[in-house]
């Protein structure tokens, strides 16, 4: 269990700031929650005490959230940045500023859980040694067998009798049943979310409520793919994401 | 844009190109010596590259790319493209004709006058005497879109051009005109699809918004947690509905999330009077559908389903995997209507037009309804369609 994250919420509008701070304070993975009313106050706070992450509203008078994020990007130690915006995500991504996540206003508590997970991973991200063979999955590539690191796989899908491992770029046929893969990969962050889907929860991008207690899961690197989460797997998945 | 429509027009273009190849062939002898075959291939390559160059419209850059080949094909000393605003691009074979460039710009007024006639015209290359310039004549072939000349292809000659030479210039102008008309049609179709979508968004009725706010207002008093949840649903729903107008396609999963959010708000309002049954095959979640084709069907079903007043409205939504199609059906148990009463302006007609644009008329909505029997609206979406991607 990683230490709690200290965060700073920057928004010129009090209700939005209060609400986000309130939601953050309710999360066990979050430690101290500070607030700032504009970029200037945020920078003053940061010079006094460093934090793990800054939640930045994009639209603020004076120095806006994008300017603020550019300044934060040059700091050392550098806090992670999460943009909070009423705009559409891609409108912000176009500015090319590195951010751990984008949150839409109004913020959903479930969505915030995913952000917190990402912040924890961002903090812990030291590039490890190359995955040992035991962490690799054998996939068929023509007549050859390739061993790909388990963490590259976003989801394994059973399509009829054939199982495919999907990475951001490829769809590899796997010589194993989904049950066999599940047994091998459970320790690597994978979880069965549907009869035909085994998902890598280390890459969760979003989880949206669908019909009758089911959900749709999307994974980083494969965001165009909606993965069904069946009702019987939904509770375990939500618990796993919540930590 | 509509891939099907474009296929049709592309086929038309190919036919024009083929006709030009035929004409050029006929101009030469009927024997197929190697030189002739080479000329044919070159002509065909020329037609193809010209079509490709003008895909993004008539610009100085696209004109500069094709003028040298046009000059070679037309056997002219120099060629130029004019728009009604003046000289757009000029190309001369090396030598004396190159000096004509400034004269060509100066002659724009008389050439534009000839262009406005809409017909092939032979005019003097200079307004007055130009000592030292051997160019004498200009053949002006207007390029028309929707009956009005938007440009002219002009070939410059030292002697009166032969009828065959004039014919080549006017054929090439016709080819360019077809290309520009196609582009024009593409843009019109895209604009039409976008404005249809805008119109549909505008139909998200103010009633719905006021009803939702009234419902939320009541829950703030009786069930604040539920009110909070509904506000978040309402925010997400409106964000999806009012996305940029160019988002013409989306995944079925995202479209169904809009439906779920809409139903959540309507169920909060209507309580037990609205029941919903679903059957969604996971296999079809990631197929691509035009944006906002299902939510209006559900809205329509609620309207009809609850019109019967007594008892409760039951809406059934199905999305099923059937070979290379996904069949989506929305059924209500309402009063039904007989015959289907659409007036050309409603949401259903809007969806029909968009389905027609994208998938062809065979994929329009199938409406089955009879008085007292409820209504089922089905649409069949091809699972794989080249050129159709989520935006």
């Amino acid at each position: 269990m990683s230490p709690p994250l200290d965060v700073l919420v920057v928004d010129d509008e009090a209700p939005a700031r209060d609400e986000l701070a309130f939601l953050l304070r309710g999360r066990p993975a979050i430690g101290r929650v500070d607030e700032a009313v504009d970029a200037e106050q945020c920078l003053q706070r940061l010079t006094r005490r460093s934090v793990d992450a800054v939640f930045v509203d994009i639209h603020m008078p004076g120095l806006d959230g994008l300017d603020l994020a550019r300044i934060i990007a040059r700091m050392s130690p550098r806090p992670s940045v999460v943009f909070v915006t009423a705009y559409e995500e891609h409108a912000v991504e176009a500015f090319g500023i590195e951010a751990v996540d984008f949150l839409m206003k109004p913020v959903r508590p479930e969505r915030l859980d995913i952000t917190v997970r990402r912040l924890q991973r961002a903090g812990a991200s030291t590039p490890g040694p190359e995955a040992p063979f035991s962490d690799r999955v054998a996939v068929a590539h023509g007549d050859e067998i390739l061993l790909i690191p388990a963490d590259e796989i976003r989801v394994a899908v059973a399509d009829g009798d054939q199982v495919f491992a999907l990475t951001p770029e490829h769809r590899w046929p796997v010589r194993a049943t989904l049950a066999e893969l599940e047994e091998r990969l459970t320790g690597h962050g994978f979880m069965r979310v549907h009869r035909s889907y085994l998902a890598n929860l280390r890459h969760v991008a979003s989880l949206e409520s669908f019909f009758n207690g089911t959900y749709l899961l999307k994974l980083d690197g494969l965001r165009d793919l909606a993965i069904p989460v069946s009702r019987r797997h939904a509770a375990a998945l939500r618990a796993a994401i919540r930590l | 844009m509509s891939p099907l429509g474009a296929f049709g027009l592309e086929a038309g273009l190919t036919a024009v190109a083929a006709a030009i190849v035929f004409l050029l062939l006929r101009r030469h002898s009927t024997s197929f010596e190697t030189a002739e075959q080479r000329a044919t291939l070159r002509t065909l390559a020329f037609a193809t590259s010209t079509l490709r160059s003008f895909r993004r419209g008539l610009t100085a850059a696209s004109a500069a790319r094709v003028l040298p080949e046009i000059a070679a094909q037309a056997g002219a000393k120099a060629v130029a493209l004019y728009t009604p605003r003046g000289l757009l691009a000029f190309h001369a074979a090396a030598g004396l004709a190159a000096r004509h460039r400034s004269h060509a710009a100066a002659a724009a007024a008389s050439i534009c006058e000839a262009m406005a006639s809409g017909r092939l015209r032979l005019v003097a290359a200079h307004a007055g005497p130009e000592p030292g310039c051997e160019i004498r004549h200009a053949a002006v072939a207007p390029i028309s879109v929707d009956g009005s000349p938007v440009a002219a292809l002009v070939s410059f000659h030292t002697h009166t051009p032969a009828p065959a030479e004039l014919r080549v210039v006017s054929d090439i102008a016709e080819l360019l005109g077809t290309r520009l008309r196609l582009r024009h049609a593409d843009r019109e179709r895209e604009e039409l699809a976008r404005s249809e979508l805008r119109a549909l968004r505008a139909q998200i009725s103010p009633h719905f918004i006021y009803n939702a706010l009234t419902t939320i207002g009541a829950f703030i008093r009786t069930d604040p947690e539920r009110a909070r949840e509904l506000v978040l649903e309402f925010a997400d729903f409106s964000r999806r509905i009012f996305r940029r107008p160019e988002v013409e396609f989306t995944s079925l999963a995202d479209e169904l999330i809009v439906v779920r959010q809409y139903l959540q708000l309507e169920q909060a309002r209507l309580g037990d009077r609205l029941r919903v049954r679903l059957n969604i095959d996971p296999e079809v979640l990631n197929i691509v559908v035009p944006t906002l084709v299902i939510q209006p069907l559900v809205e329509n079903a609620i309207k009809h389903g609850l019109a019967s007043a007594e008892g409760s409205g039951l809406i059934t939504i199905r999305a099923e995997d059937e070979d290379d199609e996904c069949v989506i059906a929305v059924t209500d148990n309402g009063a039904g209507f007989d015959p289907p009463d659409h007036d050309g302006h409603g949401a259903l007609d809007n969806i029909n037009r968009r389905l027609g644009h994208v998938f062809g008329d065979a994929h329009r909505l199938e409406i089955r309804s009879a008085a007292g029997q409820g209504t089922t609206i089905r649409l069949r979406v091809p699972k794989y369609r080249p050129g159709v991607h989520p935006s």
Side-chain angles (χ1 to χ4, degrees), chain B residues 44-57:
Chain B
L44 195 53
F46 160 71
T48 312
S49 78
T50 304
L51 292 177
R52 197 175 296 136
S53 295
F54 283 91
R55 190 154 47 194
R56 303 208 178 280

Side-chain angles (χ1 to χ4, degrees), chain A residues 70 126 166 200:
Chain A
R70 284 193 193 96
T126 43
L166 274 58
N200 185 343

Side-chain angles (χ1 to χ4, degrees), chain A residues 11-193:
Chain A
D11 195 325
D12 60 304
E13 291 167 22
R17 190 177 64 239
D18 288 352
E19 177 71 4
L20 183 53
F22 166 79
L23 290 173
L24 282 165
R25 286 190 184 106
R27 299 205 143 43
I30 297 293
R32 190 186 167 100
V33 180
D34 268 338
E35 299 176 38
V37 299
D38 58 18
E40 197 183 337
Q41 201 178 69
C42 166
L43 292 170
Q44 280 168 2
R45 296 270 156 88
L46 287 178
T47 49
R48 260 183 271 135
R49 188 177 52 238
S50 164
V51 299
D52 298 297
V54 184
F55 287 74
V56 180
D57 176 39
I58 288 185
H59 197 75
M60 291 189 292
L63 211 57
D64 72 14
L66 297 169
D67 296 328
L68 177 60
R70 284 193 193 96
I71 295 169
I72 290 174
R74 309 177 80 126
M75 295 181 126
S76 178
R78 184 177 72 159
S80 299
V81 169
V82 174
F83 284 118
V84 187
T85 171
Y87 297 106
E88 282 216 55
E89 185 169 324
H90 51 79
V92 182
E93 278 175 331
F95 289 100
I97 299 171
E98 202 178 310
V100 169
D101 208 353
F102 299 89
L103 280 172
M104 296 291 161
K105 282 180 175 180
V107 175
R108 278 183 175 274
E110 315 88 86
R111 183 64 186 75
L112 190 59
D113 287 331
I114 292 172
T115 305
V116 171
R117 268 172 67 87
R118 287 179 172 221
L119 284 172
Q120 287 179 316
R121 282 175 62 82
S125 71
T126 43
E130 200 162 292
F133 281 127
S134 61
D135 292 356
R136 289 171 177 255
V137 173
V139 298
H141 178 51
D143 292 337
E144 294 175 58
I145 298 289
L146 294 183
L147 293 171
I148 57 171
D151 201 50
E152 274 183 25
I153 299 173
R154 297 298 185 266
V155 62
V157 187
D159 185 355
D161 290 339
Q162 179 65 57
V163 172
F164 294 93
L166 274 58
T167 65
E169 277 91 32
H170 296 281
R171 178 184 166 91
W172 303 104
V174 180
R175 293 187 187 169
T177 65
L178 208 56
E180 287 162 0
L181 268 187
E182 181 180 10
E183 195 174 321
R184 282 202 40 211
L185 295 177
T186 299
H188 292 87
F190 283 73
M191 179 183 262
R192 187 76 81 102
V193 296

Side-chain angles (χ1 to χ4, degrees), chain B residues 34 92 102 109 144 164 222-223 283 301 323 333 371 382:
Chain B
T34 319
S102 59
S144 300
T222 60
D223 187 349
E283 290 77 16
D323 303 322
N333 66 339

Side-chain angles (χ1 to χ4, degrees), chain B residues 54-140:
Chain B
F54 283 91
R55 190 154 47 194
R56 303 208 178 280
L58 187 61
T59 63
S62 62
R65 271 200 300 279
V66 296
L67 281 184
E69 188 57 29
I70 290 177
Q73 291 286 340
K77 290 268 189 279
V79 289
L81 270 162
Y82 289 76
T83 68
R85 281 187 303 226
L87 182 65
L88 181 72
F90 177 86
H91 171 83
L96 291 176
R99 291 168 48 191
H100 187 64
R101 176 185 291 272
S102 59
H103 307 158
S110 65
I111 282 173
C112 287
E113 197 186 315
M115 178 196 314
S117 76
R119 305 178 59 170
L120 180 69
R121 294 268 293 272
L122 196 59
V123 301
H126 306 103
E130 286 287 353
C133 184
E134 83 279 29
I135 299 292
R136 292 284 175 274
H137 307 283
V140 182

Side-chain angles (χ1 to χ4, degrees), chain A residues 19 22-23 86 88 90 104-109 194 197 208-212 216 218 224-226 228, chain B residues 228-229 231-233 235-236 239-240 243-244 251 253-254 256-257 259-261 263 278 280 282 285-286:
Chain A
E19 177 71 4
F22 166 79
L23 290 173
E88 282 216 55
H90 51 79
M104 296 291 161
K105 282 180 175 180
V107 175
R108 278 183 175 274
H194 181 275
Y197 293 84
E208 288 185 272
S209 175
F210 204 47
F211 292 102
N212 299 335
L216 293 179
K218 290 188 181 172
D224 286 342
L225 184 77
Chain B
R228 187 191 181 90
E229 179 56 32
V231 167
L232 293 172
E233 291 290 1
D236 277 355
R239 187 170 2 250
R240 284 171 189 274
R243 277 171 86 181
R244 301 157 300 145
S251 70
D254 281 344
L256 287 172
I257 284 177
V259 169
R260 185 195 60 72
Q261 288 168 334
L263 282 171
L278 284 134
I280 315 285
L285 283 175
N286 290 290

